Amino acid sequence: GSNLPTVAGVVEIIPTTQLPWIYDPVHINGYSHPAYDEMNPNAKPIVNLLGSSVGTANTAGLTLLPGADGSQIRGLAIAEWTGSGILISPFFSAAPGGITIQGNHLGVWRGVFYRGNDQDGIHVVGSDGNTIGTNCQAFLGCSGRGNLIATHGRHGVHLDGTSANNTVAGNLIGTDRYGSSTFVPFGGATPNAEWGVFVGPDAANNTIGDFGSVFVPPSHSTPVSSGNVISGNQAGGVRLEGDFNRVYANRIGTNEAGTGALANQGPGISVVGDDTTIGDLGAGGNVVSGNTSSGIVFDTPTGFTPLRVRVQGNRIGVDATATAPLGNGSSGIVMWGNHHEIWDNVIGGNAAAGISDHSYSNEILRNHIGTNGLGNDVGNTLMGISVSGGNAQIGAAGAGNVIGFNGTGIAIGGSSYDTTVQGNWIGTDGAGFDLGNGNEGIYATGAEYVIGGPGGTTNGLGNVIGHNGGVGIEARGFVPTIQGNFVGTDAAGRDLGNAFEGIYAESSPGGPPSAIGALASDPDVDVAAKGNVIAHNALEGLVLDGVQDVALRGNRMWNNGGIALDLGDDFETDNDPSDFDGGANHLQNFPVISPVQTFWNDVTGNLHVRYRVDSLPAAGVQYPLTVDFYLHDPWLAPGDQARVFLGSDTYTAAEAGNDKDILLSPLPGTFLPNPYGFEFGGLRATATDADGNTSELSRQNVPVPEPGTSLLLTAGALGFAALGRRGRTGRALRSRRRG
């Protein structure tokens, strides 16, 4: 109170024995001293309670025991005790609860000398409903002052035993009293020796940080938050071993402004418990950046496997505005366990991956990884997303991630399986801007994964993959299912070309039938729906090397620098007699189309085609063959391209090697206007055997003039968009491929 003597501007209480334990409700109010500046948010306490003269081990500055429910401890400096600064504990009965601890300096003397207590700053054992720092409520805003908690021998705040429903908010934990540094001239280093906040294995339903709202008439409220600054601590920022705990609105590993790093020496947040929530939309998001290790780790010590962790609305590895990198020393998020939800975060600037997923059955949706909603470059050094677990869902229709400026966009490792990648923008965004990853858009070596989906070019399941410095999609290991994606372009036909091939697969077959596009058995309606759109890439559209039984049907390809479809990664491969080889897709022979007998039938209104396939059943070719026909616009790009799928025909073993006549019925709008004054398409075809081995495209130039041009011409947006495209050849650029 005001009758305590002041020396050098402070009151010092230095007992020589342990202070009495508190069994009754008390209100200890250091604010009441007249010298205390309540208007200054960084005011130092006037009343200092020092334990430096107490020789008894494990002695806390203040000990609150059963009966002290509802006590309030405000405005004290508590330092140099051999136990914790404040201890709330049971003693032969339930611990007291509902205690408020605000505006104190724990581990700091006179506001400038950082002299920590030997154990925790605040140790709560089996106690419920306490407020440590500020208090936020819906429509009432936030009230009360946070505590400064620094330089302790163990944790800053320790929620132990069965402690539940406690709130730790608005505090500075591990920094100076301005939240701007972890070193002070007179006091030395400020960090706590272990965790900033440690929540034990039986402590549940606690909140680290807080947010509420202020009602703003006439019809809405404004969110407000009172997170902690938890930075500089030696083991890490926050450790959550109990279940159902929440972490909101904190700065973890940064200064109070969220503009500079004050690194925790381990991870920013370590999660062991189940059903943990980290962040929320709006005011509830954390900044977890600048830490020496990873930003957030779902940990697995001694067999723990955390379940159902949700990470939402956070900025991880970037500053508080999410416009500049402020990376963690390893990955942004490292996941073990299963059934986690990673939604709506900005994750960038990290030294390894944005997200490193070693767990199972997780959802990664609507995040910006390596960039933000403004298109800024905050790339992660290695990968945007790295997957080595199973059953991951990366994006979904209408809920895709934007993944740009990373080393590689998505890397699916060899130990992963059943990963689904859908609805993402990889190296670009919905406006087509260049956010290119430095290497591949997707690099996949896992088993039985799905990239895109049937109808993906119209229903949102397909990914848009463009502007990347390597291959758009590179698949090794087991060939996946790759369907309905835009690779090097988007639905508007824009030039988003990747610097190498659109899709490159060098894999081993295994599991269910594999396809890049449609399966051998799919009817025409599914072929059109499952094909990928592959355009504007610097090398070939699609390369298959060193693997058989991979169907390559229905892919629409144009204006790629090399040929559209390459078996063996050796540019064009000629047909050979009888046809059964050991190369990619057994180097299945492509169809040979007769230019003389391919024409419009003006009576039927159909395209008459005569073709044959020189593949013999006796040579091991599996019949029947499915022959797919495509339209190529020779003025868009040289070489063998396939802009439009026209339909298919079944070619039986009895027909092998013989000419066959069929009719095709292209839809109105199939042909594009030719700016050079004549309208025609070049007919192309592939052959796929019953095992799924698809050939290269046929190569002879078979012009197909379009009848009724005045009725059938379309605006030709795709054709005009490609005019003026720089000339490129696959042969000239092939030496740039990485090994």
Side-chain angles (χ1 to χ4, degrees), residues 107-129:
V108 182
W109 170 42
R110 293 190 179 183
V112 293
F113 298 106
Y114 287 70
R115 303 287 189 265
N117 300 291
D118 288 353
Q119 295 184 12
D120 304 313
I122 300 173
H123 188 183
V124 180
V125 183
S127 177
D128 301 343

Side-chain angles (χ1 to χ4, degrees), residues 151-165:
T151 66
H152 292 94
R154 295 189 64 195
H155 313 301
V157 176
H158 185 180
L159 302 182
D160 202 356
T162 59
S163 297
N165 299 308

Side-chain angles (χ1 to χ4, degrees), residues 111 292 332 341 461 536 581 661 707:
T292 298
E341 298 171 348
L461 292 178
H536 305 303
D581 306 286
D661 294 288

Side-chain angles (χ1 to χ4, degrees), residues 561-642:
I563 62 174
L565 200 165
D566 181 356
L567 298 181
D569 194 19
D570 56 0
F571 209 59
E572 296 174 344
T573 301
D574 292 331
N575 284 342
D576 55 10
S578 72
D579 185 39
F580 193 77
D581 306 286
N585 271 358
H586 296 297
L587 298 181
Q588 166 66 47
N589 279 354
F590 52 77
V592 177
I593 302 172
S594 170
V596 175
Q597 297 298 326
T598 299
F599 55 87
W600 279 104
N601 186 322
D602 290 327
V603 175
T604 64
N606 294 317
L607 176 63
H608 181 281
V609 178
R610 177 173 291 177
Y611 76 93
R612 74 176 188 274
V613 183
D614 296 327
S615 296
L616 302 181
V621 179
Q622 300 300 306
Y623 273 78
L625 304 182
T626 301
V627 178
D628 294 316
F629 294 91
Y630 302 88
L631 187 69
H632 165 51
D633 306 290
W635 58 86
L636 294 184
D640 301 319
Q641 306 287 318

Side-chain angles (χ1 to χ4, degrees), residues 1 11 111 216 234 259 308 329 349 367 392 402 414 493 529 592 674 682 702:
V11 173
V216 179
Q234 294 297 311
T259 57
R308 296 177 298 274
N367 301 283
V402 178
V592 177
N674 182 350
V702 183

Side-chain angles (χ1 to χ4, degrees), residues 294-321:
S294 294
I296 302 173
V297 177
F298 306 169
D299 219 340
T300 56
T302 63
F304 283 111
T305 54
L307 307 176
R308 296 177 298 274
V309 179
R310 174 180 290 185
V311 180
Q312 183 175 23
N314 304 283
R315 286 140 288 172
I316 303 169
V318 296
D319 68 2
T321 66

Side-chain angles (χ1 to χ4, degrees), residues 186-533:
F186 301 106
T190 64
N192 298 290
E194 296 187 26
W195 294 90
V197 177
F198 185 92
V199 180
D202 297 317
N205 287 299
N206 299 286
T207 302
I208 312 304
D210 204 359
F211 65 100
S213 61
V214 175
F215 183 70
V216 179
S219 61
H220 65 279
S221 62
T222 298
V224 295
S225 62
S226 185
N228 306 281
V229 178
I230 307 173
S231 299
N233 301 286
Q234 294 297 311
V238 179
R239 171 77 167 182
L240 303 167
E241 294 192 354
D243 301 337
F244 298 101
N245 293 293
R246 300 164 296 275
V247 183
Y248 295 139
N250 303 282
R251 303 285 196 265
I252 301 176
T254 76
N255 58 17
E256 187 170 26
T259 57
L262 298 179
N264 292 294
Q265 299 306 301
I269 302 174
S270 173
V271 181
V272 175
D274 299 341
D275 297 287
T276 300
T277 299
I278 299 173
D280 195 67
L281 299 180
N286 303 280
V287 177
V288 188
S289 302
N291 298 286
T292 298
S293 182
S294 294
I296 302 173
V297 177
F298 306 169
D299 219 340
T300 56
T302 63
F304 283 111
T305 54
L307 307 176
R308 296 177 298 274
V309 179
R310 174 180 290 185
V311 180
Q312 183 175 23
N314 304 283
R315 286 140 288 172
I316 303 169
V318 296
D319 68 2
T321 66
T323 59
L326 190 58
N328 297 290
S330 187
S331 294
I333 301 174
V334 179
M335 291 194 286
W336 299 90
N338 56 71
H339 294 95
H340 307 310
E341 298 171 348
I342 313 299
W343 298 347
D344 300 290
N345 305 280
V346 177
I347 307 171
N350 299 290
I355 299 173
S356 182
D357 181 4
H358 306 277
S359 51
Y360 306 95
S361 300
N362 303 310
E363 291 183 349
I364 302 173
L365 306 177
R366 298 190 304 266
N367 301 283
H368 283 77
I369 302 175
T371 185
N372 56 20
L374 302 175
N376 296 108
D377 179 353
V378 290
N380 299 286
T381 301
L382 298 182
M383 289 81 67
I385 301 174
S386 172
V387 181
S388 61
N391 294 297
Q393 178 75 41
I394 303 175
N401 305 282
V402 178
I403 305 171
F405 298 121
N406 307 286
T408 296
I410 299 174
I412 303 173
S415 61
S416 65
Y417 60 90
D418 291 339
T419 296
T420 300
V421 182
Q422 294 177 325
N424 303 285
W425 291 269
I426 303 173
T428 186
D429 60 10
F433 289 121
D434 185 349
L435 313 178
N437 298 287
N439 300 314
E440 298 82 8
I442 300 176
Y443 182 90
T445 59
E448 299 178 19
Y449 48 95
V450 174
I451 299 174
T457 56
T458 58
N459 64 14
L461 292 178
N463 304 280
V464 179
I465 305 168
H467 294 307
N468 297 289
V471 181
I473 302 172
E474 184 162 342
R476 298 175 183 267
F478 293 107
V479 171
T481 301
I482 302 175
Q483 297 175 333
N485 302 285
F486 292 96
V487 185
T489 187
D490 60 8
R494 286 179 284 214
D495 180 351
L496 315 179
N498 297 288
F500 286 80
E501 297 87 356
I503 300 176
Y504 179 91
E506 183 181 63
S507 309
S508 302
S514 298
I516 301 174
L519 294 166
S521 59
D522 283 330
D524 284 2
V525 63
D526 290 337
V527 172
K530 292 181 178 180
N532 302 281
V533 180

